[in-house]
Structure formats: structure tokens, C-alpha cells
Amino acid sequence: MSVNQVALWYLVASVCFILALKGLSHPETARRGNYFGMAGMAIAVLTTLSIPGVSWDRIGVILGLMLLGGSIGAFVSQRVQMTQMPELVAAMHSLVGMAAVLIAVAVVNNPHAFGIEEPLPMGNRLELFIGTFVGAITFSGSVIAFGKLAGLGKHFRLFSSAPVVFKGQHLVNLALAVVMIGFGIAFFMASDKGWTPFIIMTAIAFVLGFLIIIPIGGADMPVVISMLNSYSGWAAAGIGFSLNNPMLIIAGSLVGSSGAILSYIMCRAMNRSFISVILGGFGAAEGTAATGAEQKAVRSGSAEDAAFLLGNAESVIIVPGYGLAVARAQHAVKELAQKLKEKGVSVKYAIHPVAGRMPGHMNVLLAEADVPYDQVFEMDDINSEFGNTDVALVLGANDVVNPLAHEKGSPIYGMPILDVSKARTVMVNKRSMASGYAGLDNPLFYMDKTMMVFGDAKKVVEDMVKALG
């Protein structure tokens, strides 16, 4: 394949990637977007293998390793539950980051194998410096994010969903960043390979990745996931410059920029600045008892009581949360909605941008149950309807419906929430009165209009369906 043909096919792959991102912007076109992404990656891989000068021996090794990696990926994907998707995404980000570091090490060790003269030109050294430290931070930060999302805090405190902080933390991070950049400059200016400053710079970047993520609380994890996604893209783009591979540069830039935009959207949805999240977020361990909750009286009812209220309502808004995902109750909820619609009840779903553990978690959950897209509404589109709604049914959500967001001094003050408290009747399904990921009590649970229905979401919803007949 000629150089011009390679450039043409890389262009086709780039267009597919852009169409993939466009498709993923809406649930109705997400499946098509995935197809475009897979097609683009297939074209990119085949084109890369067809570059002049790539020997058949190397192609055999590459295909063998791709088969091995693909088999492992297929095996893992079959075992991953919907609630584990955030952990899977964090794990994938860590692999991208480590790949960038390993490629940089290979380039420094043997530049000729990558078509780069020796000693390394300063331009290549700068690209390697950026790609390496971003990749290292992405790897170690993603490992911490994985541990927090997987609930490994009970085994190792660094993985606690509560912020892990210590005195002078920000100064330590700043000092490490300055030292890392200093050794990066030393690597940049080295006349030989510069192994010593390169290795020290990389080691500090790994440590910095850990320290950046451990103070971020569980409530901010959706932002962390999208941020690490952006980092992985920029790491890939940086290495793409070193390898002189335009496809890697384009793909990495698309991932990096889209991840950065998504992070901005998430922060705006939480009314928080991106810098404040990175410098230490808020949050406490999920499942801790809400302060003072045991002294307050709540009105509780059974699934049959809830079914009676739902069946006699004219309008119902369902608010899914992480508890719904844990119980895998999305199919039962769809059946409940169908029963209500048969009775003439208007049913809609309200989605908060940061509900769950990753951006779009609830959208994916409902899509898996084939919930019609025209019944699913984002927060900005449906918040004004709660005041005219008979029943708001909250299933496993907590922080995204917490009225404390309207009170000055609250850790979540200013965070836009779903205004379920404005509905005529509020029903909340939870396993217990434990707090959400932000570790805050929720005044919504103690309102006179609120009825708590305790139990596993799937069991409770199935009982509601039975009671509706």
C-alpha cells in the first residue's frame, strides 16, 4: 500500500471516529455510533499493518498478540455486570495509560526501530516527556478510581470512596509536579539517552497520579471517569507524535477533547469547577449512616401501598439511581411503567447527568431494558414538570434528589438536583436509611409527603407490579 493510500484510509477511519462520537451523543443513535467506531478501528488497524516496510514476521506477532488480547477482553466482557461498567471503564483507561508509557520506554531504548534518529531529537524528547507523564498519571489515577468504584476501600484505605486527605497534600502535589517537570527538562536537554531523568520523571508521575485521585470523594467519580478518559486520549496523541502516526494523533485528540468536554458538562451539572474537583472533591463512604437519621421519624409503607398510590395517579415520574443498577431492576421498572400506562397513567423517567457511577450510567441501564427513548428526559427538560406531577418514584437515588443542594453551607450547595420534592407525593425506595456517596443526610426522606419503601429495588418493584394486577 502506497503512502497516499495509507493517508486516504486513515482519513476514512478518522471520519468514522467522528461519526462514532456524533452517534454516541444520543441514545437513539448510540448503537450506530458504536458500529462506526468499530469500523474505524478495523480500518485503522488494517491500514497500519499495510504500511510499507512492515514485515510479515512482525505482522504475525502483532496478530497473535491482538488475538490474545481480544480473547481476554471478550472473556472479561462476558463476566462484567451492568453495575461494574464504571470499574471496567477505569480499568481500560489504566491500560491505555500504561501502553503510552511502555511505548515511550521502547522509543527511548531503540529509536531506530521507530524510524527516529539517535540521539533523540529535542522535538521527539518533548513529545515523549508529555506522553509519558500523562500516561503514567492516567494509569495510577485509573487504578485508584477502579478501587474506589469497586468498593475496595474496606481492604485498603487508599481505595476508600471517602476523600483520603493529609496535611499539606496540595503542597506535596505541587512540589512533586515541579520536580517531575524538572527531571523532564533534564531528559529534554540530555545529550545521551537520558535514562536517569526519564525513569525518575516517570516514577514521580505514577505517584502523582495516585495522589491526585485519592482525595476525590465518591460523589465526584463521574467527573473522574470522564477526566481520565481525556487523559488517556492526550497520552495516546502524545505518543502518536513520537511514532509519527497521524491516525494515533487524530484518534487520541478526539478522545482527549471529547473527554475534556464531557468533564466540563459533568462539572457544570454539579455546579462545581473542574479544578476544585481535581484538588480534592467531597464525599464520604457510601453506605455510612446518615448523621441523625436514626432520631428522625419517617413514614414508611409497603409495595402494595405504593402500588395503590401509583395506580390512582394521573402522572408519575420515575427517578432511577445507582441502587436500581445494583438490584438489576431495570426490566421490572419497565414492566411497572407498562402496567401504569395500561391504566392511563402518564409515565416519564428523569435522568440526572451524574446519577450512578459514570456519565450516562442510567441511560445505558434503561436502554438495556428497551425503555422507549421518548419516555426518558434529562434533568433540564423535566425539572419544571415535578410541580404538576402526582407521584415521583425515586429508586435508589440519593444525592441527586437531596434538597440540601439548595442550602448554603452544605457540601453539595449549588449542585443542580432533580426537584422531586415539588411533586404532590414522593415515594423513595432504598434498602436502608444509609446515606449516599456524598455521605449526607437527605431531608427529602422526612417530608410529610414522602413515603419510604424499604427493600431490594427489584423485589419491591416486582411486588408493585403484582399489586397492580
Side-chain angles (χ1 to χ4, degrees):
M1 186 178 288
S2 68
V3 175
N4 289 337
Q5 288 175 320
V6 169
L8 177 62
W9 283 112
Y10 273 165
L11 177 61
V12 173
S14 301
V15 172
C16 286
F17 290 148
I18 294 172
L19 293 175
L21 290 176
K22 174 63 177 177
L24 292 172
S25 65
H26 194 278
E28 291 185 13
T29 57
R31 192 181 300 274
R32 185 173 64 205
N34 273 311
Y35 290 147
F36 274 120
M38 289 187 288
M41 183 55 66
I43 293 172
V45 170
L46 292 175
T47 302
T48 301
L49 294 177
S50 302
I51 292 177
V54 179
S55 67
W56 282 104
D57 291 340
R58 291 183 178 180
I59 291 178
V61 173
I62 293 171
L63 291 177
L65 293 174
M66 288 176 59
L67 179 61
L68 175 62
S71 300
I72 295 173
F75 175 76
V76 171
S77 66
Q78 293 297 320
R79 299 170 62 89
V80 172
Q81 302 295 330
M82 178 60 66
T83 53
Q84 297 174 314
M85 285 301 296
E87 294 101 293
L88 179 64
V89 171
M92 294 300 103
H93 290 160
S94 71
L95 295 179
V96 175
M98 181 55 75
V101 174
L102 294 178
I103 291 173
V105 170
V107 173
V108 175
N109 180 63
N110 188 3
H112 291 297
F114 297 88
I116 302 174
E117 61 186 42
E118 195 171 0
L120 283 168
M122 285 191 171
N124 290 104
R125 288 180 180 272
L126 177 61
E127 295 155 4
L128 288 170
F129 163 54
I130 296 174
T132 302
F133 87 76
V134 174
I137 289 175
T138 301
F139 171 78
S140 53
S142 297
V143 169
I144 294 296
F146 173 86
K148 285 175 175 284
L149 291 166
L152 299 181
K154 55 187 176 183
H155 303 297
F156 193 39
R157 187 170 180 270
L158 284 180
F159 295 133
S160 172
S161 59
V164 179
V165 297
F166 54 86
K167 188 174 181 180
Q169 191 168 37
H170 298 322
L171 290 177
V172 171
N173 290 349
L174 178 61
L176 285 175
V178 171
V179 173
M180 181 190 71
I181 293 174
F183 279 103
I185 294 174
F187 168 70
F188 177 74
M189 301 297 295
S191 57
D192 56 359
K193 287 184 179 294
W195 274 119
T196 299
F198 178 82
I199 292 174
I200 295 176
M201 171 201 74
T202 305
I204 294 175
F206 278 124
V207 174
L208 198 56
F210 283 117
L211 295 179
I212 286 175
I213 303 300
I214 60 173
I216 300 178
D220 289 335
M221 289 313 294
V223 178
V224 174
I225 293 296
S226 59
M227 175 198 71
L228 291 172
N229 178 58
S230 179
Y231 284 5
S232 66
W234 297 126
I239 296 302
F241 279 104
S242 297
L243 300 180
N244 195 28
N245 188 303
M247 187 71 263
L248 192 56
I249 296 171
I250 294 171
S253 299
L254 287 173
V255 173
S257 57
S258 61
I261 293 171
L262 182 59
S263 299
Y264 169 75
I265 294 173
M266 293 294 103
C267 287
R268 187 176 63 178
M270 300 168 69
N271 195 34
R272 292 167 62 74
S273 71
F274 184 72
I275 297 300
S276 71
V277 173
I278 299 307
L279 291 182
F282 61 86
E286 184 178 21
T288 56
T291 305
E294 64 277 3
Q295 284 84 32
K296 299 179 182 179
V298 298
R299 183 167 68 96
S300 63
S302 65
E304 289 73 19
D305 297 330
F308 176 80
L309 293 173
L310 290 169
N312 287 278
E314 292 184 1
S315 57
V316 172
I317 296 180
I318 300 174
V319 180
Y322 186 69
L324 178 69
V326 172
R328 303 180 65 183
Q330 60 269 30
H331 295 282
V333 170
K334 180 189 176 183
E335 187 178 358
L336 173 66
Q338 289 176 333
K339 286 282 187 181
L340 292 174
K341 289 181 73 67
E342 290 172 2
K343 291 179 174 293
V345 181
S346 170
V347 180
K348 297 180 179 179
Y349 297 83
I351 306 295
H352 193 283
V354 296
R357 300 288 179 81
M358 63 181 291
H361 198 174
M362 295 301 105
N363 298 85
V364 174
L365 195 74
L366 297 179
E368 186 188 31
D370 292 324
V371 172
Y373 298 127
D374 59 1
Q375 295 179 18
V376 182
F377 295 85
E378 299 297 328
M379 176 182 65
D380 293 338
D381 298 325
I382 201 170
N383 248 356
S384 60
E385 297 187 26
F386 280 105
N388 299 317
T389 300
D390 292 326
V391 179
L393 175 60
V394 180
L395 298 168
N398 198 322
D399 300 323
V400 297
V401 296
N402 194 333
L404 285 178
H406 299 312
E407 296 185 12
K408 290 184 177 180
S410 166
I412 60 172
Y413 173 67
M415 171 180 168
I417 61 170
L418 290 165
D419 293 323
V420 298
S421 60
K422 294 181 179 179
R424 298 184 181 95
T425 299
V426 179
M427 291 190 296
V428 180
N429 166 244
K430 283 173 57 69
R431 293 176 182 269
S432 68
M433 289 299 293
S435 62
Y437 232 6
L440 302 174
D441 194 10
N442 193 334
L444 175 70
F445 303 156
Y446 313 107
M447 291 182 174
D448 293 336
K449 65 169 69 175
T450 301
M451 182 177 75
M452 304 295 297
V453 185
F454 295 107
D456 176 81
K458 185 176 182 180
K459 178 66 167 57
V460 168
V461 175
E462 287 177 345
D463 289 343
M464 290 182 187
V465 173
K466 292 177 182 178
L468 286 170

